[in-house]
Every structure is written in C-alpha cells, then in structure tokens.
Amino acid sequence: MRTQEGIEGIGHCYGGHAAAALVSEAVRQLLRPLLMGRDSCETEILWQEMYQEALLHGRAGSVMRAISIVDTALWDCNARSAKLPLYKYLGSAARDNVPAYASGGYYLEGKTPDKLGEELASYVALGFKAVKMKVGRLSPADEEARIAAARKAIGPDVLLMLDANNAWSDVPTALRYMQRYESYDPYWIEEPFSPDQIDAHADLAARTRVPVATGEIEAGRWRFKELLDKKAALILQTDALVCGGVSEFRKIAALADAYGATMCPHWFHDVHVHLVASSPNARFVEFFADDKVLNFRRIVDRQLEIEGAGLKLPTAPGLGYRFDEAAIGGCDADVWS
C-alpha cells in the first residue's frame, strides 16, 4: 500500500505450494479497484466493502487471505504514518516483550526420539519456557516414545504443546492417543481433526483434560463463534493473515475474551508479536528459531529478538520490517507479490 504522501505499508500471507497466484490475483483483480484513491484510515469501511465484493468468490481460503493481506497493509501503513509500532497504534496490552513458544519437532527421516528431545532442549537453552512438537503420524506406542523423550529432555516445568495437524478422523482414535499423551502433561492438543469437524473437536474436548487448540485456517468471526459456542476449543490459533487481517483478528480476540478463551496465533511471528502485545487475552506468539520451516524470514530486512522467555517488542513504526528487495529479486514476481 502506498499513500499519496509516499508512506508504504506491507501485507503478505502463505498461499500454499500450488496455485498461490490465486491469492495475488484476488488482490489485483478483485480488491485493488476498490482501494485506489481511498482513505487508508477507513479500515472498517474498506474491510466491509472488500468482504461484500468477495461474497461470490469465497468468504474463506484464497480470497479471504487476499483481504487479510490488504487489511494488514492498511494497518501497517496507518501505524507508520503515526510513527508508532503497530502494537502501540492498536493499544498496548504489554510492555517491552511478550511470551513466545518455540515451534518445531517436525517429522524428519532419521530423527529418533532422542534427537527430537535434543532439538526441543536446544530451544529451552535459548530461554524459551514453552515448546511445540508434531504428533499423530505414528502408532500410539511410537508417539508415546517421542513425547516421553521430549518431556525428559525439557524437564517437568517447560510447557509442551502437541500439534496433530488434523491427524485423526474420529474421536475413538483420538482418545487412544490422548490416553497415552495425558501423563506427560501437554499444554494443548492442536488440530486433532479436520477443521470442519467442529463437533468432533467439542466431543474430544469434553473427554480429555488436555485443552484443545485450533483455528489456524479458519476465517471470519462467525466460524470462531461456532467453535466457542460448541466448546470445541479453549485456545484459538487465529492467524491474522488468514482470518481476514488485523481488523478481523481484533474482533475474534474480543469475542474470545467474552468466552474466557485464549488467543495463541498461528505462524508469522513478525506480525503476531504485535497482535499478542495488543490483545489482553493473548498468551503466546508462535516462534520459529530458524528458516528451515518459516523461510519467509529470508525475504524481510529485520528479525525479532529473543528476550527472556519471549520476544522483544519492535520499536520501529508499523510492523517494524520491510521486504528485502534484493532477496526477492531472484524470485518469480507472481509468487512474491
């Protein structure tokens, strides 16, 4: 986004491995005509107009990701105009730093339970007091061995989050795994089922003492209200770059607060550090310590700093970073737009 005064705001998202250009085409063809010559401070008016324009093309998925990009760029632009970091422009709920958990523990060939434990322990050595690992792909016994090694390596006082990435299709199967997991004191079980299986999430939540977390690919406050109404999750992993942008994230966070639910946003720590710092019911930023998974950090000009058991809040205006044009230069323009 570029204002007539020359102030630029940026927005971005993950568009998938295939057909990612659908997102950028939605920005160019569907949303751009609505935005040219408009007042960037009219975020609520512009969001509603974009949403209405997109009704026939998709209220979720690629089109909502396009709205998320544009809305985030508007907020970045406005915060830069005010010469404030985005979290201060939104209204601070934290000072100096915010808690974060180190995300990792992926399945890789040759990664034994002991090696998994070493990986998670390395995050603890950086100062983190919460870590996350993947679960659900192997047999219950093999998964228990992985979790046992992880807990042994990080000790009893570090929070251990478990991410199933939609591993199970029914509640009985999920319960077989959860009965083995519970003794290792998981902080949450993330995405146990497909996101559309809201009733299954609610059923599992009622049958296990481990809090259920989900919502990373959900869009719009209405879907999150259904999750909350059905008691399908105590922890919402709303992604601002998926759900509808900063504007929609704030509405979802306020809604969740009324239900006593916690916000722990998914991915893109560079954006979500601001939203955790400006949401009273937010708990953690998801942080990736290297670029092996979240390689987005290779194309921006500034990285967040670890401070204590969390992340130091940026002091630069807006989001606090820009795209590294030299790094992007060798990439396909349609992919990185």
Side-chain angles (χ1 to χ4, degrees):
M1 288 288 177
R2 184 179 299 111
T3 68
Q4 290 181 341
E5 294 75 28
I7 296 172
E8 293 185 350
I10 62 173
H12 50 82
C13 79
Y14 172 63
H17 293 298
L22 288 172
V23 180
S24 52
E25 283 304 308
V27 173
R28 293 187 181 101
Q29 296 188 36
L30 192 64
L31 305 180
R32 184 179 184 273
L34 286 174
L35 298 164
M36 296 298 295
R38 304 293 295 274
D39 183 345
S40 67
C41 290
E42 295 180 345
T43 49
E44 288 295 327
I45 296 172
L46 295 174
W47 195 96
Q48 189 58 41
E49 289 186 10
M50 289 189 291
Y51 180 79
Q52 194 68 29
E53 185 72 7
L55 285 179
L56 296 181
H57 297 280
R59 300 184 300 280
S62 296
V63 176
M64 189 60 100
R65 289 178 188 237
I67 292 174
S68 302
I69 290 171
V70 170
D71 181 80
T72 300
L74 286 168
W75 281 99
D76 182 37
C77 189
N78 294 337
R80 290 181 193 271
S81 295
K83 297 182 172 56
L84 290 172
L86 180 58
Y87 78 93
K88 286 192 175 183
Y89 185 73
L90 293 171
S92 300
R95 298 188 185 96
D96 302 325
N97 58 56
V98 291
Y101 69 88
S103 196
Y106 283 76
Y107 293 98
L108 295 173
E109 186 174 353
K111 185 187 283 188
T112 64
D114 286 343
K115 288 182 179 179
L116 170 65
E118 290 172 4
E119 177 196 347
L120 298 184
S122 73
Y123 302 144
V124 176
L126 292 174
F128 293 102
K129 298 192 181 300
V131 297
K132 188 170 83 176
M133 60 177 282
K134 301 297 183 181
V135 298
R137 183 183 294 185
L138 308 179
S139 70
D142 288 339
E143 290 292 0
E144 184 176 6
R146 294 175 71 246
I147 295 171
R151 176 53 77 192
K152 180 180 178 181
I154 65 176
D157 298 326
V158 173
L159 300 181
L160 178 62
M161 291 84 159
L162 306 180
D163 184 359
N165 279 128
N166 324 123
W168 307 309
S169 59
D170 59 86
V171 175
T173 299
L175 285 172
R176 287 188 65 222
Y177 283 87
M178 294 309 302
Q179 286 163 2
R180 287 178 177 264
Y181 295 173
E182 285 182 355
S183 62
Y184 300 96
D185 192 26
Y187 186 71
W188 73 50
I189 179 67
E190 177 177 339
E191 282 199 312
F193 308 105
S194 164
D196 292 323
Q197 292 180 276
I198 293 179
D199 289 338
H201 281 81
D203 195 1
L204 180 63
R207 293 168 181 265
T208 177
R209 65 178 180 81
V210 180
V212 172
T214 194
E216 67 180 55
I217 59 172
E218 293 293 5
R221 73 206 80 144
W222 305 277
R223 181 77 162 184
F224 284 95
K225 185 177 186 301
E226 183 179 358
L227 282 168
L228 294 166
D229 283 342
K230 291 185 173 180
K231 300 181 179 179
L234 287 173
I235 298 164
L236 300 186
Q237 296 175 302
T238 313
D239 189 327
L241 302 173
V242 172
C243 75
V246 173
S247 295
E248 196 67 1
F249 184 98
R250 298 181 80 198
K251 293 180 176 68
I252 294 164
L255 175 69
D257 200 17
Y259 283 80
T262 301
M263 302 294 287
C264 293
H266 161 259
W267 240 33
F268 284 113
H269 48 243
D270 307 275
V271 171
H272 290 128
V273 68
H274 294 279
L275 297 180
V276 169
S278 57
S279 303
N281 62 321
R283 181 72 177 93
F284 285 110
V285 178
E286 180 175 21
F287 181 73
F288 292 87
D290 56 41
D291 61 9
K292 293 178 182 177
V293 176
L294 187 59
N295 58 11
F296 172 80
R297 64 191 300 162
R298 299 177 192 172
I299 62 165
V300 294
D301 63 3
R302 190 172 301 174
Q303 306 299 326
L304 294 176
E305 299 178 32
I306 300 170
E307 185 173 85
L311 300 172
K312 185 176 180 180
L313 288 170
T315 57
L319 290 172
Y321 60 93
R322 296 185 183 276
F323 294 125
D324 183 338
E325 298 298 337
I328 293 175
C331 301
D332 187 310
D334 285 335
V335 174
W336 294 108
S337 296

